[in-house]
mmCIF file of all heavy atoms in Angstrom:
data_model
loop_
_atom_site.group_PDB
_atom_site.id
_atom_site.type_symbol
_atom_site.label_atom_id
_atom_site.label_comp_id
_atom_site.label_asym_id
_atom_site.label_seq_id
_atom_site.Cartn_x
_atom_site.Cartn_y
_atom_site.Cartn_z
ATOM 1 N N LYS M 7 41.870 78.697 -4.532
ATOM 2 C CA LYS M 7 40.806 79.698 -4.450
ATOM 3 C C LYS M 7 39.680 79.345 -5.401
ATOM 4 O O LYS M 7 39.897 79.122 -6.579
ATOM 5 C CB LYS M 7 41.343 81.091 -4.790
ATOM 6 C CG LYS M 7 40.294 82.187 -4.612
ATOM 7 C CD LYS M 7 40.892 83.557 -4.797
ATOM 8 C CE LYS M 7 39.846 84.633 -4.560
ATOM 9 N NZ LYS M 7 40.392 85.988 -4.712
ATOM 10 N N VAL M 11 33.005 81.205 -3.902
ATOM 11 C CA VAL M 11 32.863 81.508 -2.487
ATOM 12 C C VAL M 11 33.692 82.748 -2.167
ATOM 13 O O VAL M 11 34.494 83.197 -2.983
ATOM 14 C CB VAL M 11 33.295 80.314 -1.599
ATOM 15 C CG1 VAL M 11 32.339 79.143 -1.773
ATOM 16 C CG2 VAL M 11 34.724 79.884 -1.902
ATOM 17 N N GLU M 45 23.723 51.141 13.552
ATOM 18 C CA GLU M 45 23.526 51.488 12.145
ATOM 19 C C GLU M 45 22.255 52.292 11.919
ATOM 20 O O GLU M 45 22.231 53.232 11.116
ATOM 21 C CB GLU M 45 23.489 50.209 11.305
ATOM 22 C CG GLU M 45 23.352 50.461 9.813
ATOM 23 C CD GLU M 45 23.409 49.184 9.002
ATOM 24 O OE1 GLU M 45 23.433 48.087 9.601
ATOM 25 O OE2 GLU M 45 23.432 49.281 7.755
ATOM 26 N N ILE M 50 19.544 57.176 10.106
ATOM 27 C CA ILE M 50 18.525 58.212 10.313
ATOM 28 C C ILE M 50 19.165 59.592 10.398
ATOM 29 O O ILE M 50 18.700 60.558 9.784
ATOM 30 C CB ILE M 50 17.711 57.910 11.585
ATOM 31 C CG1 ILE M 50 16.851 56.658 11.378
ATOM 32 C CG2 ILE M 50 16.833 59.100 11.961
ATOM 33 C CD1 ILE M 50 16.161 56.174 12.636
ATOM 34 N N SER M 78 29.379 68.807 -14.414
ATOM 35 C CA SER M 78 30.825 68.984 -14.362
ATOM 36 C C SER M 78 31.329 69.314 -12.968
ATOM 37 O O SER M 78 32.477 69.067 -12.647
ATOM 38 C CB SER M 78 31.252 70.097 -15.328
ATOM 39 O OG SER M 78 30.629 71.320 -14.985
ATOM 40 N N THR M 80 31.737 68.520 -9.283
ATOM 41 C CA THR M 80 31.602 67.359 -8.405
ATOM 42 C C THR M 80 32.052 67.645 -6.990
ATOM 43 O O THR M 80 32.038 66.767 -6.150
ATOM 44 C CB THR M 80 32.434 66.175 -8.943
ATOM 45 O OG1 THR M 80 33.797 66.595 -9.093
ATOM 46 C CG2 THR M 80 31.895 65.708 -10.283
ATOM 47 N N GLY M 120 17.788 83.878 9.236
ATOM 48 C CA GLY M 120 17.426 83.646 10.620
ATOM 49 C C GLY M 120 18.472 84.165 11.580
ATOM 50 O O GLY M 120 19.400 84.887 11.201
ATOM 51 N N ASP M 128 22.124 85.024 8.539
ATOM 52 C CA ASP M 128 21.800 85.101 7.117
ATOM 53 C C ASP M 128 23.058 84.865 6.280
ATOM 54 O O ASP M 128 24.152 85.300 6.646
ATOM 55 C CB ASP M 128 21.237 86.479 6.759
ATOM 56 C CG ASP M 128 19.920 86.774 7.459
ATOM 57 O OD1 ASP M 128 19.320 85.832 8.000
ATOM 58 O OD2 ASP M 128 19.504 87.945 7.453
ATOM 59 N N ASP M 139 30.050 57.841 2.705
ATOM 60 C CA ASP M 139 30.757 56.579 2.833
ATOM 61 C C ASP M 139 29.948 55.646 3.732
ATOM 62 O O ASP M 139 29.020 56.090 4.415
ATOM 63 C CB ASP M 139 32.149 56.805 3.437
ATOM 64 C CG ASP M 139 33.046 57.629 2.523
ATOM 65 O OD1 ASP M 139 32.847 57.565 1.297
ATOM 66 O OD2 ASP M 139 33.935 58.329 3.041
ATOM 67 N N LEU M 147 30.069 73.453 3.913
ATOM 68 C CA LEU M 147 29.261 74.561 3.409
ATOM 69 C C LEU M 147 30.057 75.850 3.550
ATOM 70 O O LEU M 147 30.508 76.188 4.648
ATOM 71 C CB LEU M 147 27.964 74.642 4.212
ATOM 72 C CG LEU M 147 26.854 75.558 3.713
ATOM 73 C CD1 LEU M 147 26.305 75.062 2.377
ATOM 74 C CD2 LEU M 147 25.730 75.627 4.748
ATOM 75 N N SER M 156 32.842 85.412 7.066
ATOM 76 C CA SER M 156 33.205 84.674 5.861
ATOM 77 C C SER M 156 33.906 83.398 6.300
ATOM 78 O O SER M 156 34.774 83.429 7.175
ATOM 79 C CB SER M 156 34.142 85.525 4.996
ATOM 80 O OG SER M 156 34.705 84.756 3.950
ATOM 81 N N GLU M 159 31.816 75.728 7.112
ATOM 82 C CA GLU M 159 31.382 74.798 8.148
ATOM 83 C C GLU M 159 31.460 73.380 7.594
ATOM 84 O O GLU M 159 31.145 73.148 6.429
ATOM 85 C CB GLU M 159 29.937 75.064 8.566
ATOM 86 C CG GLU M 159 29.690 76.420 9.193
ATOM 87 C CD GLU M 159 28.204 76.648 9.451
ATOM 88 O OE1 GLU M 159 27.419 76.562 8.485
ATOM 89 O OE2 GLU M 159 27.847 76.905 10.612
ATOM 90 N N LEU M 160 31.859 72.440 8.441
ATOM 91 C CA LEU M 160 31.843 71.020 8.093
ATOM 92 C C LEU M 160 30.923 70.300 9.062
ATOM 93 O O LEU M 160 31.076 70.410 10.281
ATOM 94 C CB LEU M 160 33.249 70.422 8.186
ATOM 95 C CG LEU M 160 33.333 68.898 8.013
ATOM 96 C CD1 LEU M 160 32.975 68.489 6.589
ATOM 97 C CD2 LEU M 160 34.723 68.376 8.387
ATOM 98 N N PHE M 178 35.484 77.638 10.461
ATOM 99 C CA PHE M 178 36.339 78.807 10.659
ATOM 100 C C PHE M 178 35.576 80.020 10.156
ATOM 101 O O PHE M 178 34.877 79.967 9.143
ATOM 102 C CB PHE M 178 37.707 78.660 9.979
ATOM 103 C CG PHE M 178 37.677 78.500 8.481
ATOM 104 C CD1 PHE M 178 37.624 79.611 7.641
ATOM 105 C CD2 PHE M 178 37.722 77.242 7.911
ATOM 106 C CE1 PHE M 178 37.608 79.464 6.262
ATOM 107 C CE2 PHE M 178 37.705 77.086 6.527
ATOM 108 C CZ PHE M 178 37.648 78.196 5.700
ATOM 109 N N VAL M 193 32.175 86.735 17.389
ATOM 110 C CA VAL M 193 32.330 85.635 16.432
ATOM 111 C C VAL M 193 32.236 84.300 17.166
ATOM 112 O O VAL M 193 31.535 83.379 16.735
ATOM 113 C CB VAL M 193 33.670 85.752 15.683
ATOM 114 C CG1 VAL M 193 33.864 84.568 14.741
ATOM 115 C CG2 VAL M 193 33.742 87.066 14.914
ATOM 116 N N LEU M 200 25.341 78.627 17.260
ATOM 117 C CA LEU M 200 25.045 77.811 16.084
ATOM 118 C C LEU M 200 25.336 76.338 16.344
ATOM 119 O O LEU M 200 24.529 75.462 16.004
ATOM 120 C CB LEU M 200 25.863 78.303 14.885
ATOM 121 C CG LEU M 200 25.359 79.570 14.194
ATOM 122 C CD1 LEU M 200 26.403 80.094 13.222
ATOM 123 C CD2 LEU M 200 24.041 79.307 13.468
ATOM 124 N N THR M 213 15.894 68.827 22.096
ATOM 125 C CA THR M 213 14.822 69.415 21.293
ATOM 126 C C THR M 213 15.253 70.803 20.875
ATOM 127 O O THR M 213 15.964 71.497 21.599
ATOM 128 C CB THR M 213 13.507 69.524 22.087
ATOM 129 O OG1 THR M 213 13.739 70.283 23.281
ATOM 130 C CG2 THR M 213 12.993 68.143 22.452
ATOM 131 N N THR M 214 14.839 71.210 19.691
ATOM 132 C CA THR M 214 15.230 72.509 19.164
ATOM 133 C C THR M 214 14.482 73.620 19.885
ATOM 134 O O THR M 214 13.264 73.555 20.047
ATOM 135 C CB THR M 214 14.913 72.589 17.659
ATOM 136 O OG1 THR M 214 15.550 71.497 17.012
ATOM 137 C CG2 THR M 214 15.390 73.895 17.065
#
Side-chain angles (χ1 to χ4, degrees):
K7 185 173 182 179
V11 293
E45 183 176 6
I50 292 172
S78 60
T80 56
D128 296 346
D139 295 332
L147 191 66
S156 169
E159 297 174 303
L160 173 68
F178 61 85
V193 177
L200 283 169
T213 56
T214 305

